[in-house]
């Protein structure tokens, strides 16, 4: 079991994902979030789609869940943060970056949402680039 998979089995299956490839219409099956590509479709929904509000809210909710889970872990002794957001980053910026990341990595389309989200966060927001003294960015600061 990989480190990322072991974390996802502990609750990190709730994560953001983005579509690998061009945006496709949101389908009811996407709300089952079987794979990264399913949630990716939700995260990249077009405002003209009938399910847009539900899709984007679902996507953002899962994103907040993974950040809050990380916060809870970071409060424990000996936990080294896996990712750190720079000051001023917004939830929409993170979501858009995740969509771009997944589009650039189509090989992750059938992987678990938790695994891909952690790959994205760790690679995109390494702790060495966070504001000095800031271990992670609490989700309440991600607007």
């Amino acid at each position: 079991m990989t480190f990322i998979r072991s974390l996802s089995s502990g609750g990190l299956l709730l994560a953001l994902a983005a579509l690998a490839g061009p945006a496709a219409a949101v389908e009811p099956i996407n709300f089952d979030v079987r794979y990264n590509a399913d949630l990716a479709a939700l995260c990249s929904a077009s405002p003209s789609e009938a399910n847009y509000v539900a899709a984007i809210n679902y996507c953002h909710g899962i994103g907040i869940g993974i950040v809050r889970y990380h916060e809870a872990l970071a409060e424990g002794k000996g936990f080294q943060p896996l990712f750190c957001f720079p000051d001023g980053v917004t939830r929409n910026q993170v979501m858009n970056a995740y969509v771009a990341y997944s589009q650039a990595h189509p090989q992750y389309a059938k992987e678990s949402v938790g695994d891909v989200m952690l790959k994205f966060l760790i690679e995109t927001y390494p702790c060495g680039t966070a504001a000095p003294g800031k271990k992670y960015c609490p989700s309440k600061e991600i607007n």
Side-chain angles (χ1 to χ4, degrees):
M1 183 181 292
T2 67
F3 174 69
I4 291 175
R5 181 155 316 278
S6 68
L7 286 176
S8 69
S9 66
L12 288 178
L13 288 176
L14 299 178
L16 295 176
L19 184 61
V26 173
E27 300 290 334
I29 191 78
N30 296 134
F31 286 92
D32 289 344
V33 190
R34 299 160 300 152
Y35 305 108
N36 184 50
D38 289 321
L39 191 55
L42 301 177
C43 294
S44 59
S46 168
S48 63
E49 293 184 53
N51 289 327
Y52 173 74
V53 171
I56 292 302
N57 286 330
Y58 196 96
C59 178
H60 282 228
I62 288 178
I64 290 169
I66 195 167
V67 171
R68 291 215 174 143
Y69 185 78
H70 182 261
E71 289 174 353
L73 291 174
E75 291 174 5
K77 288 185 176 183
F79 179 81
Q80 295 297 315
L82 302 174
F83 56 89
C84 300
F85 295 111
D87 284 334
V89 71
T90 67
R91 184 172 52 226
N92 284 337
Q93 289 169 331
V94 173
M95 302 295 293
N96 291 338
Y98 193 73
V99 168
Y101 178 89
S102 289
Q103 289 173 342
H105 296 89
Q107 69 272 25
Y108 299 154
K110 294 290 185 181
E111 289 190 22
S112 79
V113 172
D115 286 355
V116 178
M117 174 48 87
L118 282 175
K119 288 175 191 176
F120 159 72
L121 291 169
I122 291 166
E123 291 175 22
T124 307
Y125 302 104
C127 290
T129 62
K134 194 166 202 174
K135 293 171 80 175
Y136 61 92
C137 181
S139 58
K140 65 181 176 243
E141 294 181 18
I142 300 179
N143 301 321

